[in-house]
Amino acid sequence: MRYAALVVCIVIGIGAAGVAQHQYAFYYDLSGGQDLVINMMNTMEESSAYLIEVYDAWGNLLWQKTGELAAYEAEFYRLGEFVAAGDMNWGVTTVASEEQLVIGLEYLAGGKLVSIDTVSQEVPELEGGVPYWLGAYYTQAEGLSTGVIIMNPHDEATSVNVSLRNPNGELLYSQDIDLAPYESEYLDLDKLVGQGGLIWGLVDVQMQENAVVVAVEYYGERLEVDNITEYYF
């Protein structure tokens, strides 16, 4: 049994190494009646092997899938068909591929499409010892609220600082967050800064050594989800 398990791990490791030229990461949520359809499109004239991995909020691997896309071919997966719903079944999905991909994301709630996002920016490699920042808009104005998800798409731990500022530049909230490999952290801004007409502005995430991925959920009359991978420095 141990030998068989070792062989499986070696095969998976070889497969991951073979498709690791391009790395993508984004948010998924299978809690509370939500789901995600992943549409992967090969942008190149060459075929592209790929590996999808889905992790829960604690960084545990829930599902993985290898495949290959022919030139300009597209493929889709509805995660709810492969991963069970659960309170902690949300967090980061990673995609490794031989060629560059464009990934279309369809976020569902109650079986209905609520938000579409497109990921074409890879997880960046950071220069050691240099700080970088990811920025996003948040709003807690009347009738609106925001959730911020910080995800570690790497197989080693990392740390970030998250801060929230209002339109006057005042610091409303700041926290250092340690993330285990593939772990995610959810920040409920209703609880952290409350609601009000002047509670909106910049979410600032400072990272170093390893890049994280940020997703922002906007709640109002409908749900909207945006993934952010590109740093502004």
Side-chain angles (χ1 to χ4, degrees):
M1 289 293 292
R2 290 184 179 180
Y3 176 77
L6 178 61
V7 170
V8 171
C9 290
I10 292 174
V11 170
I12 291 174
I14 293 173
V19 298
Q21 185 173 351
H22 302 279
Q23 298 281 349
Y24 305 88
F26 46 86
Y27 173 64
Y28 83 96
D29 189 356
L30 294 180
S31 67
Q34 297 189 55
D35 204 346
L36 175 64
V37 178
I38 302 171
N39 301 277
M40 300 193 305
M41 296 159 280
N42 183 5
T43 66
M44 306 301 289
E45 295 181 350
E46 295 80 21
S47 62
S48 179
Y50 63 83
L51 169 66
I52 303 175
E53 295 183 323
V54 177
Y55 297 87
D56 69 11
W58 302 116
N60 300 305
L61 180 64
L62 298 179
W63 177 70
Q64 62 181 188
K65 171 69 176 178
T66 59
E68 185 169 346
L69 293 170
Y72 301 114
E73 186 180 16
E75 179 110 42
F76 76 92
Y77 297 94
R78 182 165 177 164
L79 283 188
E81 296 178 355
F82 307 98
V83 181
D87 290 343
M88 300 307 295
N89 287 2
W90 58 269
V92 68
T93 298
T94 64
V95 175
S97 63
E98 287 182 312
E99 302 293 340
Q100 292 176 314
L101 304 179
V102 171
I103 303 173
L105 304 174
E106 299 179 8
Y107 290 91
L108 310 177
K112 296 182 179 180
L113 178 66
V114 293
S115 185
I116 295 177
D117 196 14
T118 300
V119 172
S120 58
Q121 180 75 27
E122 298 178 43
V123 177
E125 295 185 6
L126 306 184
E127 182 181 348
V130 178
Y132 296 78
W133 287 265
L134 293 171
Y137 167 71
Y138 79 92
T139 178
Q140 295 295 109
E142 184 175 356
L144 299 172
S145 58
T146 307
V148 178
I149 303 95
I150 314 296
M151 297 164 283
N152 179 8
H154 302 286
D155 60 0
E156 56 184 339
T158 193
S159 299
V160 299
N161 175 267
V162 181
S163 61
L164 303 173
R165 294 185 181 273
N166 69 12
N168 297 321
E170 298 170 342
L171 182 64
L172 301 183
Y173 173 82
S174 180
Q175 178 184 352
D176 292 325
I177 297 176
D178 297 323
L179 295 171
Y182 303 109
E183 185 180 14
S184 299
E185 181 82 12
Y186 180 85
L187 303 179
D188 184 345
L189 271 56
D190 281 351
K191 296 179 179 179
L192 297 181
V193 296
Q195 288 195 323
L198 289 178
I199 306 180
W200 61 271
L202 175 66
V203 180
D204 215 15
V205 179
Q206 181 179 335
M207 54 190 181
Q208 197 162 315
E209 304 301 335
N210 287 321
V212 298
V213 177
V214 173
V216 185
E217 291 185 316
Y218 301 100
Y219 305 95
E221 294 184 0
R222 54 169 288 177
L223 172 67
E224 180 181 341
V225 182
D226 291 331
N227 290 276
I228 302 166
T229 58
E230 187 172 3
Y231 57 82
Y232 64 85
F233 181 78

